[in-house]
């Protein structure tokens, strides 16, 4: 362990006692709740985000709860910033066992209307925002035979109107996980993907419109949504069992089944549902 760093909380209780985790995009939303549950189950966690105020508020809240926590302001599409992020885990807690790449920008824009630069921004946040933290973390995860989880979406398994760059990015990282699982099998590192379905959002969550302006997400029927805490629980169970793929919710699994075996019916349902939702909520 490097001199001067805190020990991972070996004395703490819980399934993840003694483990050190980095969760990207954890100043808010699902990332924050996943980080909270990891802490509650004994891990030390490095929080991350791009908004200094929100990140510090989350860090203080966690510290006040008695959690072993550090934070690093870093844009995960910047490789040097990712090296600093991983270095924060090593300097503060001396090791790295778990990486969850959760940071992501989503969109609410049709491909035909989208500025090319906005497409790139959404794609970069989902692809390089996954690749860069992992690349920086790999030597340390190799030492601990650690665990990597890419947070993806049901929409990585099928298309979604108004989500072209987002779906393409999430699909890319699913494939990346498979390739790395094969290529790095000898390291003993776990590579998994969690495909999340509709989940409750922080009220201040924003996605990008066609011109790159932040806008609220499209309205969704509340009965379709899981809570962030439920999703965090499923992510932790996925890590604990070192699963390759977890598809969240019965609705999510049904969507995958229909798209795999009855793709035309799947497309018809998606188009009909999006038309109906647009009619009701826009
Ligand atoms: N909510 C859902 O219904 C749903 C469904 C399927 C999949 N997911 C996936 O679940 C994950 C979490 O989603 P969420 O709903 O919790 O979204 P969220 O509330 O917007 O959280 C995403 C976090 O990532 C941060 N972030 C974005 N780009 C970043 C970057 N380049 N560097 C560092 N931090 C960055 C955001 O902060 P700033 O933008 O302020 O920096 C924010 O804190 C995402 O991967 C998302 O695709 C969510």
């Amino acid at each position: 362990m490097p001199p001067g760093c805190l020990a991972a909380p070996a004395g703490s209780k819980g399934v993840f006692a003694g483990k050190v985790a980095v969760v990207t995009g954890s100043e808010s939303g699902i990332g924050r709740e996943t980080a909270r549950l990891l802490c509650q189950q004994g891990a030390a966690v490095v929080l991350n985000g791009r908004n200094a105020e929100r990140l510090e508020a989350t860090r203080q809240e966690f510290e006040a709860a008695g959690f072993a926590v550090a934070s690093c302001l870093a844009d995960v599409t910047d490789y040097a910033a990712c090296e600093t992020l991983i270095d924060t885990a090593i300097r503060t807690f001396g090791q790295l066992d778990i990486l969850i790449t959760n940071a992501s920008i989503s969109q609410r824009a049709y491909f035909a209307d989208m500025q090319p630069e906005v497409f790139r921004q959404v794609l970069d946040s989902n692809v390089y925002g996954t690749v860069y933290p992992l690349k920086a973390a790999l030597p340390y995860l190799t030492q601990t035979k650690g665990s990597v989880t890419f947070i993806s979406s049901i929409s990585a398994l099928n298309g979604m109107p108004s989500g072209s760059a987002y779906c393409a990015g999430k699909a890319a990282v699913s494939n990346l996980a498979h390739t790395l699982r094969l290529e790095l099998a000898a390291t003993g590192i776990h590579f998994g993907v969690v495909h999340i379905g509709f989940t409750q959002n922080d009220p201040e969550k924003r996605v990008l419109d066609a011109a790159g302006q932040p806008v609220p997400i499209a309205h969704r029927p509340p009965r379709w949504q899981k809570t962030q805490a439920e999703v965090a629980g499923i992510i932790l169970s996925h890590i604990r069992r070192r699963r390759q793929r977890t598809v969240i919710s019965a609705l999510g699994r049904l969507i995958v089944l229909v798209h795999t075996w009855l793709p035309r019916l799947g497309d018809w349902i998606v188009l009909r549902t999006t038309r109906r939702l647009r009619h009701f909520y826009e």
Side-chain angles (χ1 to χ4, degrees), residues 108 110 218 277-282:
R108 189 175 166 190
Y110 291 99
L277 288 179
R278 230 185 301 165
H279 173 74
F280 275 121
Y281 296 114
E282 286 188 351

Side-chain angles (χ1 to χ4, degrees), residues 2 19 22 29 35 50 88 142 182 196 227 247 263 279 282:
K19 303 290 184 197
V22 169
R50 296 179 300 180
T88 302
T142 304
L182 299 170
I196 296 177
T227 66
V247 178
H279 173 74
E282 286 188 351

Side-chain angles (χ1 to χ4, degrees), residues 24-32 48-51 54 74-78 101-106 124-126 129 151-155 166 170 194-202 204-207 217 220 225 228 231:
T24 68
S26 46
E27 70 192 24
S28 65
I30 293 167
R32 179 195 57 224
N48 157 255
R50 296 179 300 180
N51 181 314
R54 226 170 22 212
D75 181 334
V76 291
T77 63
D78 173 346
T101 61
N102 165 82
S104 159
I105 302 176
S106 190
D124 277 2
S125 89
N126 286 286
I151 299 301
S152 184
S153 163
I154 301 291
S155 62
Y166 176 77
K170 291 298 194 192
V194 177
H195 295 275
I196 296 177
F198 286 157
T199 306
Q200 286 170 3
N201 291 295
D202 288 2
E204 56 278 4
K205 174 169 173 166
R206 294 291 179 269
V207 299
I217 60 156
R220 304 150 168 186
Q225 300 186 45
Q228 293 172 348
V231 169

